[in-house]
């Protein structure tokens, strides 16, 4: 009988219906959040879309509908974790108010066994989130850039940056104005060597820096050289020359585009950048995020179930405790993004930034579940 009960708790009608409740209410929350985000986005960009349609002499729908799809993918990647938590949280509260969980616990199911439906839920939502994060979002970002509309269309478009950018590689620093496009380039370039020595080494100034077909090799045009170590106080004009740098072309091609916006091929190239560089940190962070994104719905669903039970005292709903539980869960969801941001800026390692919030939330879930049992 005990063996049969375990089987039913994992694969029986109750578990399937519970998982379906979780999925339906999560989908409802995701749709509501998407509708709100669409409204905010269109309030900012609708006039630009309408003018773009008039300029291209095409119906507004030919620009608006693809744009809404591109934005929907990015919005869902950002907000689906919030929908995961609150969808499961509200579903569990409704089940408790209908006494479903009370009846099941009276039939002998422990709180640990009643977590079984999140296995089905986590597989479905995790697969959707993984596809959105790894495949669809990089695709729609590229399409939005080609469309040239919206925040991403303008922010990530090929262009010369009007301000100087710095690239630091231990003993070497490169400064200049970046062209983010194909082929990438820099102009008004300064290359400093010997930064970690007592006295600065050489300083190359160039009108332009272009990549060659050899990785790590760059062509300098309009070159001048200072050598402070040899007492050289004035620059010496040099012909165009080839120079070896830790800089890779993908750092310019995708300058100031976070790694999680990129497809796997550019990420693989950026993962070969100099250790400690901003591009390498961003690429490693994006790789770790995509590797663990499938687990996130499991963790958030377990947390939501545990916190929803905390809002009840026996069969009675405690509003203050329930509001506190919902607030604590939202803080838990936000903490994932906060710690991710610390990893993006290099404050902590990418592995720590992606694993730490999941481990902490699983620990909270385990403690709450143990207390409930």
């Amino acid at each position: 009988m005990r063996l049969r009960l375990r089987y039913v708790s994992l694969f029986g009608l109750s578990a399937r219906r519970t998982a379906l409740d979780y999925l339906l209410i999560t989908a409802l929350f995701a749709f509501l959040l998407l509708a709100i985000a669409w409204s905010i986005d269109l309030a900012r960009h609708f006039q630009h879309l309408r003018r773009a349609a008039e300029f291209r002499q095409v119906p507004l729908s030919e620009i608006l509908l693809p744009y809404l799809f591109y934005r929907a993918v990015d919005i869902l990647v950002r907000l689906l974790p919030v929908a995961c938590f609150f969808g499961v949280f509200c579903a569990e509260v409704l089940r408790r108010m209908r006494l479903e969980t009370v009846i099941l616990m009276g039939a002998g199911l422990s709180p640990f066994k009643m977590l079984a439906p999140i296995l089905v839920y986590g597989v479905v939502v995790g697969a959707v989130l993984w596809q959105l994060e790894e495949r669809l979002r990089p695709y729609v970002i590229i399409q939005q850039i080609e469309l040239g509309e919206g925040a991403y269309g303008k922010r990530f478009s090929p262009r010369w940056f009007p301000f100087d950018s710095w690239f630091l590689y231990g003993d070497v620093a490169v400064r200049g104005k970046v062209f983010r496009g194909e082929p990438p380039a820099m102009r008004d370039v300064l290359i400093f060597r010997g930064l970690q020595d007592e006295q600065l080494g050489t300083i190359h100034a160039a009108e332009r820096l272009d990549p060659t077909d050899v990785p790590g090799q760059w062509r300098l045009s309009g070159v001048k050289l200072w050598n402070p170590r040899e007492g050289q106080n004035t620059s010496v004009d040099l012909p165009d020359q080839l120079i070896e740098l830790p800089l890779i072309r993908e750092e310019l091609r995708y300058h100031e585009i976070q790694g999680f916006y990129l497809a796997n091929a550019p990420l693989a190239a950026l993962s070969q950048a100099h250790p400690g560089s901003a591009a390498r940190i961003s690429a490693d962070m994006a790789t770790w995020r995509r590797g663990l994104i499938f687990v996130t719905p499991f963790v958030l669903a377990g947390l939501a179930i545990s916190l929803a039970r905390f809002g009840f005292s026996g069969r009675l709903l405690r509003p203050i405790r329930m509001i506190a539980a919902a607030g604590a869960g939202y803080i838990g969801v936000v903490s994932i993004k906060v710690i991710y941001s610390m990893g993006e800026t290099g404050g902590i390692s990418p592995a720590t930034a992606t694993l730490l919030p999941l481990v902490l939330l699983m620990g909270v879930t385990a403690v709450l579940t143990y207390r409930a049992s």
Side-chain angles (χ1 to χ4, degrees), residues 246 248 251 269-277 279-280:
I248 63 174
E251 291 184 75
L270 288 171
S271 66
Q272 304 301 315
H274 190 274
S277 64
R280 175 70 173 269

Side-chain angles (χ1 to χ4, degrees), residues 49-93:
L49 295 171
R50 186 171 59 82
R51 285 196 291 267
E54 293 174 353
F55 177 78
R56 300 178 189 184
Q57 297 182 346
V58 297
L60 177 61
S61 59
E62 289 190 15
I63 292 181
L64 180 61
L65 294 180
Y67 176 79
L68 289 177
F69 170 72
Y70 302 152
R71 294 299 301 130
V73 172
D74 184 61
I75 290 167
L76 286 175
V77 173
R78 295 174 179 273
L79 298 182
L80 192 53
V82 179
C84 284
F85 173 79
F86 283 105
V88 176
F89 184 85
C90 291
E92 192 65 18
V93 170

Side-chain angles (χ1 to χ4, degrees), residues 279-296:
R280 175 70 173 269
I281 293 172
S282 182
D284 290 346
M285 187 66 197
T287 302
W288 274 94
R289 281 182 59 166
R290 292 177 183 180
L292 293 174
I293 195 70
F294 186 80
V295 184
T296 304

Side-chain angles (χ1 to χ4, degrees), residues 206-225:
E207 296 176 359
R208 190 177 173 95
L209 179 72
D210 295 284
T212 66
D213 295 333
V214 180
Q217 187 181 81
W218 297 79
R219 178 177 291 104
L220 290 177
S221 305
V223 188
K224 295 183 179 181
L225 174 67

Side-chain angles (χ1 to χ4, degrees), residues 203-270:
I203 304 174
H204 282 87
E207 296 176 359
R208 190 177 173 95
L209 179 72
D210 295 284
T212 66
D213 295 333
V214 180
Q217 187 181 81
W218 297 79
R219 178 177 291 104
L220 290 177
S221 305
V223 188
K224 295 183 179 181
L225 174 67
W226 285 271
N227 196 338
R229 288 183 182 176
E230 298 181 1
Q232 181 181 340
N233 296 322
T234 58
S235 63
V236 176
D237 293 332
L238 297 176
D240 295 353
Q241 60 182 270
L242 300 177
I243 189 171
E244 298 289 334
L245 289 173
L247 183 70
I248 63 174
R249 64 178 293 140
E250 285 77 14
E251 291 184 75
L252 303 186
R253 175 65 183 85
Y254 303 105
H255 183 54
E256 292 199 355
I257 300 179
Q258 291 89 340
F260 53 81
Y261 289 123
L262 302 176
N264 288 332
L267 274 186
L270 288 171

Side-chain angles (χ1 to χ4, degrees), residues 9 20 35 42 74 86 95 145 252 262 283:
S9 68
L20 182 60
L42 285 178
D74 184 61
F86 283 105
R95 292 180 67 239
I145 292 172
L252 303 186
L262 302 176

